[in-house]
Amino acid sequence: LKPTLLFLSPTDLYTAPDSCEGRCEEPYSEEDECHCDAECETYGNCCEDYYRHCQPDGFSSSRDAITDEDLLRVSEQLYRADHNKARPSDIAINPQYQASPDETGDQEDRSPQPLYKYVNEALFSKPTYASFIKLLDNYQRATGREEEVTVEELREQDNFLKEVMKTELMKKLFAFLYQKNRYSSKQEFVADLKEMWFGLYSRGDGEQDSSGFEHVFSGRALTGGTGGTGQHQAGELTPACPLCLGEVKKGKVSGFHNWIRFYLLEKQGTVNYFSHNFDGPWDTYPDVLGLQFSWDGFYKEVGSAFIGCSPEFELGLYTLCFIARPGRACHLSLGGYSLSIQTYPWTKSTYGNGKKYIATAYVISP
């Protein structure tokens, strides 16, 4: 008899930190909530759905697992495919003061000059940059205020996704995820990108006031919330998120990990660069900085950001890591150098067949 697959179809397959969907025979990691390798039966730490997905009749086979080696390989492919990134002559930065770990929280401006000395704004006329920049003014800055998404804003979201999907980088990402059985068509992939990044959920008092795109690329001023060291907003409750939000209390900046957004606001005079605590090993773009700054009076203790990459590069890497390693460090390789990205799913609401929205995504800097 030919076995009938009752549990999942290819369009439903989606990696989750507490599930074996797409993770069968994935290497053991102590960061995982539960495990899907052959040894998990011996140690009694298998995910609840291990037998459904990872036995011979299960849909999710070992070839669908995204291994650590896969991530290193595909991230180098995406790095090489970032043809829209800035050239060394396109950007000149002035990092100035490097803060020690015990200085990042003191809110002292130790860099009198702006971070950006020069940016070739011809970059911003490229289709993915231009469509990205149009999205940045679509959001309320403060949490707790419901977003009103207009027809024009929905059109801008669709146009951005259309433009990034024209790039070699995003085509390579889709080809990889298609090979790993995460998506059965490009249309399904694009529809899921729109939901995971632009779907609204509540970070406030029940209002649909936030999305993954807004949090990561645009940023928010935290005008309320409960204090307490190491406490993050609901849905991101983990002490392993030092670069994500800092303390959730009045006067803090949430998210805001994008270099284009930073440059445009610094040019307007609403962002004031204070110092940096990390400068990556890259001698070309994209580079990585860990930043301290204030945004219209609200402080960001450590905000990690790529410098000089294209919008599709950030979107692609964060999406890859959110799908492959949600809720834990995702180890990549860029130009021969190691880099890790942390993503967190929003745990309080879902879309589709139980899929999670992106709560945050950022580069882990030392």
Side-chain angles (χ1 to χ4, degrees):
L1 292 177
K2 186 176 180 179
T4 301
L5 306 180
L6 299 176
F7 302 108
L8 290 173
S9 71
T11 58
D12 292 325
L13 184 59
Y14 197 84
T15 303
D18 57 353
S19 170
C20 283
E21 294 178 59
R23 292 178 53 207
C24 298
E25 300 185 22
E26 183 180 273
Y28 173 85
S29 171
E30 62 181 15
E31 296 175 332
D32 289 340
E33 295 181 23
C34 56
H35 306 278
C36 307
D37 59 303
E39 298 296 315
C40 74
E41 294 182 88
T42 302
Y43 291 101
N45 54 16
C46 299
C47 298
E48 288 186 6
D49 59 4
Y50 171 77
Y51 295 100
R52 184 186 347 164
H53 297 305
C54 300
Q55 294 305 293
D57 289 340
F59 174 78
S60 184
S61 65
S62 61
R63 67 178 178 274
D64 296 327
I66 298 177
T67 66
D68 292 344
E69 291 74 21
D70 287 333
L71 289 173
L72 297 176
R73 175 178 53 82
V74 74
S75 56
E76 284 288 0
Q77 291 178 357
L78 300 183
Y79 178 80
R80 291 192 296 271
D82 189 14
H83 304 307
N84 285 328
K85 68 183 178 182
R87 297 165 299 177
S89 60
D90 286 329
I91 299 176
I93 61 174
N94 183 19
Q96 300 167 79
Y97 188 82
Q98 182 162 356
S100 64
D102 59 355
E103 291 176 323
T104 60
D106 62 13
Q107 304 192 29
E108 184 173 341
D109 184 359
R110 296 183 171 89
S111 299
Q113 302 300 318
L115 173 62
Y116 287 93
K117 295 171 65 175
Y118 168 76
V119 171
N120 177 12
E121 293 192 10
L123 282 171
F124 300 158
S125 64
K126 294 184 175 184
T128 58
Y129 285 81
S131 58
F132 172 81
I133 290 170
K134 283 187 177 181
L135 293 169
L136 295 177
D137 64 356
N138 289 352
Y139 301 102
Q140 298 276 351
R141 190 176 65 182
T143 55
R145 298 177 185 174
E146 184 154 1
E147 295 289 352
E148 296 181 5
V149 183
T150 67
V151 172
E152 177 61 25
E153 289 170 355
L154 289 172
R155 189 179 298 116
E156 289 173 354
Q157 293 172 10
D158 290 336
N159 187 56
F160 172 66
L161 293 174
K162 180 186 74 174
E163 293 298 340
V164 298
M165 287 305 300
K166 293 178 182 177
T167 65
E168 180 186 346
L169 189 152
M170 290 298 287
K171 289 177 181 177
K172 284 186 177 294
L173 175 60
F174 168 67
F176 172 74
L177 296 173
Y178 177 82
Q179 177 193 15
K180 292 296 183 178
N181 238 341
R182 296 309 192 275
Y183 300 98
S184 61
S185 68
K186 187 177 83 169
Q187 291 74 19
E188 183 193 358
F189 177 49
V190 173
D192 199 37
L193 283 175
K194 186 170 183 178
E195 287 289 348
M196 75 169 73
W197 280 106
F198 294 103
L200 292 174
Y201 50 82
S202 175
R203 289 181 189 263
D205 298 322
E207 304 289 348
Q208 299 292 94
D209 64 348
S210 189
S211 68
F213 182 90
E214 177 189 12
H215 179 84
V216 173
F217 293 105
S218 182
R220 274 188 177 274
L222 295 176
T223 56
T226 57
T229 303
Q231 293 298 310
H232 305 294
Q233 285 187 304
E236 297 175 47
L237 298 177
T238 170
C241 188
L243 306 186
C244 169
L245 297 175
E247 295 179 352
V248 173
K249 60 184 180 182
K250 191 172 182 178
K252 295 290 184 179
V253 174
S254 166
F256 198 156
H257 299 287
N258 178 257
W259 76 271
I260 300 170
R261 173 74 160 160
F262 189 102
Y263 165 73
L264 293 173
L265 291 179
E266 186 178 60
K267 183 180 177 182
Q268 293 175 9
T270 57
V271 159
N272 180 23
Y273 170 71
F274 281 21
S275 57
H276 70 286
N277 64 297
F278 172 76
D279 189 352
W282 295 271
D283 56 6
T284 185
Y285 297 116
D287 198 358
V288 176
L289 284 179
L291 308 173
Q292 292 73 54
F293 61 90
S294 69
W295 173 22
D296 205 16
F298 297 96
Y299 186 64
K300 183 74 173 181
E301 183 171 340
V302 181
S304 57
F306 285 109
I307 307 294
C309 68
S310 69
E312 60 266 28
F313 179 82
E314 277 190 282
L315 185 79
L317 286 194
Y318 292 151
T319 299
L320 170 66
C321 286
F322 183 67
I323 291 172
R325 301 288 186 270
R328 59 187 174 97
C330 175
H331 304 300
L332 309 177
S333 178
L334 304 180
Y337 293 103
S338 297
L339 175 136
S340 297
I341 285 174
Q342 180 75 52
T343 65
Y344 286 101
W346 187 255
T347 60
K348 295 203 166 195
S349 56
T350 62
Y351 67 92
N353 189 25
K355 292 185 178 184
K356 302 290 198 302
Y357 300 102
I358 290 176
T360 192
Y362 58 91
V363 179
I364 301 173
S365 63

